[in-house]
Amino acid sequence: MAAETAAEELGIKDQVQQCYRDFGVKWYHYIPYFMVKEPLFLFKKMFWSRTFLEDYYEPKFDYRAIAKSQIV
């Protein structure tokens, strides 16, 4: 989808989609491999702890301050 969005911005979306059709890319090729390998991943504790219960990550840069300084 990122490639199609970039192609749309460049004005070549139709060509990219045609290329996908020529190579036989289907919707199911977009499914991540880990979902195919472990289809019950939603029921694993590791998934939930890594998705919603991660510790706070202290960013190295203050992006809000950088953005404010560039606006002024």
Side-chain angles (χ1 to χ4, degrees), residues 5-51:
T5 301
E8 183 177 7
E9 291 177 4
L10 294 171
I12 58 171
K13 184 176 180 179
D14 294 334
Q15 295 165 340
V16 169
Q17 287 179 336
Q18 184 60 47
C19 181
Y20 286 160
R21 282 191 288 275
D22 292 344
F23 282 108
V25 176
K26 305 290 185 197
W27 66 269
Y28 49 83
H29 291 120
Y30 292 104
I31 298 173
Y33 292 128
F34 81 89
M35 289 181 174
V36 174
K37 185 178 176 183
E38 187 68 44
L40 300 176
F41 71 95
L42 284 173
F43 301 105
K44 303 280 184 177
K45 180 180 178 184
M46 184 66 167
F47 169 76
W48 293 104
S49 66
R50 293 286 308 193
T51 304

Side-chain angles (χ1 to χ4, degrees), residues 48-66:
W48 293 104
S49 66
R50 293 286 308 193
T51 304
F52 298 110
L53 304 173
E54 275 295 308
D55 293 334
Y56 176 73
Y57 173 75
E58 181 73 33
K60 295 179 182 176
F61 302 99
D62 187 358
Y63 292 103
R64 291 186 179 127
I66 294 171

